[in-house]
Amino acid sequence: MYEWYTDGTWRRKSCSSTVTVTAGGGAGNRSNARHVCHSTSQLISWRNHEDVDVIGEIDDGNQPYRQASVYCVVN
């Protein structure tokens, strides 16, 4: 998870471990990055980065991000 800073940079605040996920594993078959909010006083932009590698397939190098603004400040 990356937090947006007013100097125009994204800074990593949390990272999940590398996980091998098998097909058909259900909702519990995933990797999660989490961090505790120290304050909810400001609206902060956050984004995550997912890198998925399928075994036996060519990786296109695409780096998808999802972004949202939430009231969560991390020190």
Side-chain angles (χ1 to χ4, degrees), residues 26-73:
N29 200 8
R30 64 181 82 184
S31 174
N32 294 311
R34 300 177 188 270
H35 207 294
V36 175
C37 295
H38 294 105
S39 170
T40 57
S41 64
Q42 295 177 345
L43 187 64
I44 303 291
S45 289
W46 289 90
R47 73 178 183 184
N48 72 336
H49 171 227
E50 301 172 35
D51 182 14
V52 178
D53 295 309
V54 178
I55 297 171
E57 298 293 326
I58 296 173
D59 189 341
D60 67 1
N62 188 14
Q63 297 183 356
Y65 290 93
R66 289 188 155 226
Q67 184 175 333
S69 294
V70 294
Y71 285 93
C72 178
V73 178

